[in-house]
Amino acid sequence: MLALSARGILPKVDYAIFADTGWEPRAVYQHLDRLERDIATPAGIPILRVCAGNIRNDALDPDHRFASMPLYILNQDGRPGMTRRQCTGEYKIKPIKKAVRELLGYPHPARIPRDIFVEQWVGISTDEFHRAKDSDVKYMRNRHPLIDMNWSRADCVKYLESLGLADTPKSSCLGCPFHGNAQWRHIRDTSPEEWTDVVTFDAAIRQGNARANATGNRLLGQAFLHRSRVPLDQAPIDHVTAAEWAALQPQLGQEQVDVAELEQGVSDGCSPWACRGGVEPVQDDFGLAS
């Protein structure tokens, strides 16, 4: 959408906003720098980088309140589960709303007049039109230009290729549990430093986040980044078939396994307004996700 706006195919936007969780892959930050240098700045479109902290560091800090990641849980009785997903609301939606309020001149906790609002473009394509929703606050009105243009994910990829951006990386936390095996392999095989980072993090959160442990709320079970619920450096990430998956994890026989999702990850990704988690962010009285 930024490129379409910069080139006049869509109207020129006033701002583009990137919500930084503090733990994106190195390639994402490099790509963002390139977009800003080669596309946004020449078109006069400022990119605002907003951040509510570093999700990795916060999870390992016993003194910091941590918004839960959707970790895979193996309970003491062997049953599988997942923790609540709060990270999108805390690290993406909340800082975006904070920035929008400031752009409008009504920072929290000021009340925003009913006739003051922004038109917010959300990059949802026709493949995921079911995730196109109205905003949950009156000062932000959602619009979905890609759907208006009848563009699919394939159309977006084709356009990026035409701009020399075929190598656009997928934006998500380096250690996001929604990664598919292909993404885990890519990290392992192309970036040893980042692979060591996620393996170390996976081991560190085995008993839950540090704040919960420090306050005596130890996880009754074990937490993992990979859906196999084994340590990441031992997880079956090399093209596991459905039959192999069933043989490797007989205790998880009741869990539905989508082999395509297992390999490629969750197709809808983890954008601020279309996270696969399925849990709507909690909203406080001022329209900030909490």
Side-chain angles (χ1 to χ4, degrees):
M1 292 190 305
L2 175 63
L4 290 169
S5 175
R7 281 159 172 70
I9 300 172
L10 289 173
K12 182 180 176 182
V13 293
D14 297 299
Y15 298 93
I17 299 181
F18 174 75
D20 185 5
T21 66
W23 200 27
E24 292 274 352
R26 186 181 302 112
V28 169
Y29 293 116
Q30 293 171 342
H31 178 69
L32 181 62
D33 290 341
R34 178 173 56 169
L35 287 180
E36 186 168 33
R37 180 187 66 245
D38 298 341
I39 293 179
T41 298
I45 301 174
I47 294 181
L48 306 182
R49 306 187 190 204
V50 299
C51 184
N54 183 300
I55 191 172
R56 183 196 190 282
N57 295 344
D58 292 348
L60 303 182
D61 183 355
D63 297 321
H64 193 283
R65 173 189 171 274
F66 176 63
S68 175
M69 298 171 65
L71 302 172
Y72 294 98
I73 304 299
L74 188 62
N75 290 297
Q76 290 179 320
D77 62 3
R79 291 184 301 106
M82 288 194 77
T83 55
R84 277 188 70 193
R85 191 243 331 157
Q86 300 173 309
C87 48
T88 300
E90 187 73 19
Y91 289 91
K92 293 186 177 182
I93 296 176
K94 190 171 183 177
I96 289 175
K97 287 181 173 178
K98 181 175 183 289
V100 168
R101 279 179 156 274
E102 292 170 352
L103 289 172
L104 290 175
Y106 295 90
H108 176 76
R111 290 182 60 84
I112 302 178
R114 187 174 295 273
D115 60 340
I116 301 295
F117 63 91
V118 299
E119 180 179 273
Q120 174 179 246
W121 293 4
V122 183
I124 295 175
S125 65
T126 55
D127 307 79
E128 47 193 20
F129 72 92
H130 57 285
R131 295 188 178 275
K133 300 177 181 178
D134 293 332
S135 173
D136 59 352
V137 291
K138 291 184 173 60
Y139 62 86
M140 299 169 73
R141 299 186 183 180
N142 288 351
R143 180 183 166 193
H144 306 89
L146 299 178
I147 293 178
D148 294 341
M149 297 171 65
N150 198 34
W151 273 28
S152 66
R153 188 186 303 270
D155 293 319
C156 295
V157 171
K158 183 177 180 181
Y159 182 64
L160 289 172
E161 290 174 342
S162 75
L163 300 177
L165 299 174
D167 58 345
T168 294
K170 184 175 182 178
S171 175
S172 63
C173 287
L174 188 63
C176 179
F178 292 154
H179 284 342
N181 286 339
Q183 291 163 285
W184 289 124
R185 287 196 305 274
H186 179 76
I187 298 172
R188 182 195 64 188
D189 298 342
T190 65
S191 182
E193 182 181 341
E194 291 183 320
W195 177 247
T196 298
D197 184 15
V198 292
V199 167
T200 300
F201 180 82
D202 173 70
I205 51 85
R206 193 72 71 237
Q207 301 305 324
N209 72 77
R211 175 66 179 272
N213 288 320
T215 56
N217 296 310
R218 188 180 177 89
L219 181 67
L220 298 178
Q222 293 183 309
F224 302 88
L225 290 182
H226 193 268
R227 67 187 300 172
S228 64
R229 296 171 176 84
V230 298
L232 184 59
D233 57 353
Q234 302 172 33
I237 66 174
D238 288 296
H239 297 286
V240 180
T241 66
E244 290 170 332
W245 176 266
L248 285 166
Q249 297 296 322
Q251 74 270 34
L252 304 183
Q254 298 301 312
E255 186 175 35
Q256 294 296 314
V257 178
D258 182 329
V259 177
E261 183 175 299
L262 181 66
E263 175 65 13
Q264 298 299 328
V266 177
S267 60
D268 295 311
C270 195
S271 73
W273 312 104
C275 183
R276 169 263 196 217
V279 179
E280 293 299 324
V282 177
Q283 178 183 314
D284 64 20
D285 292 340
F286 300 102
L288 296 179
S290 60

